[in-house]
Amino acid sequence: RLQGQCGRLLRAMAAHGPNLGVAYVLWAVFGLFGWHHFYLGRTGQGLLWAQTFGLCGVGWLRDGFVLPRYVGEATPDSPERRLAAHARELLKKPRLSFGR
């Protein structure tokens, strides 16, 4: 039963993206352990938070302000995600070269 419910939740999240309210609840309750980052697919940052207790609380506090941006970046077809993709493309462009 639990597997079926988790599967439905994961399919819904894949279709619509993460929910800001859920992300804030995870941040408030388990944020020092990085659960909100795992929820948003930011596994590397989640592992760092889990090992350092949210960078001794400083990173956890910062996340409270930037969490809407993180959710936007994790949401399919959101303006934040398109902006992040555009920024990555700009960074891929070759730098000014003096060679031929």
Side-chain angles (χ1 to χ4, degrees):
R1 239 176 236 247
L2 184 59
Q3 275 187 324
Q5 290 174 347
C6 288
R8 281 191 298 260
L9 177 63
L10 290 174
R11 283 190 297 278
M13 194 177 118
H16 304 290
N19 180 289
L20 183 60
V22 172
Y24 266 117
V25 168
L26 290 172
W27 169 78
V29 179
F30 301 109
L32 291 175
F33 304 106
W35 284 28
H36 56 297
H37 289 295
F38 292 117
Y39 172 68
L40 297 172
R42 304 169 64 89
T43 308
Q45 200 163 355
L47 289 172
L48 178 65
W49 260 230
Q51 293 172 353
T52 63
F53 296 107
L55 296 176
C56 298
V58 176
W60 174 82
L61 187 60
R62 177 188 170 274
D63 282 350
F65 296 101
V66 297
L67 201 54
R69 187 185 78 201
Y70 288 164
V71 170
E73 290 172 357
T75 302
D77 202 36
S78 70
E80 292 88 353
R81 190 171 191 146
R82 288 193 299 272
L83 182 62
H86 181 66
R88 282 192 299 274
E89 286 299 316
L90 289 176
L91 291 174
K92 286 182 184 177
K93 290 187 178 181
R95 302 271 182 211
L96 180 61
S97 175
F98 295 104
R100 293 182 185 187

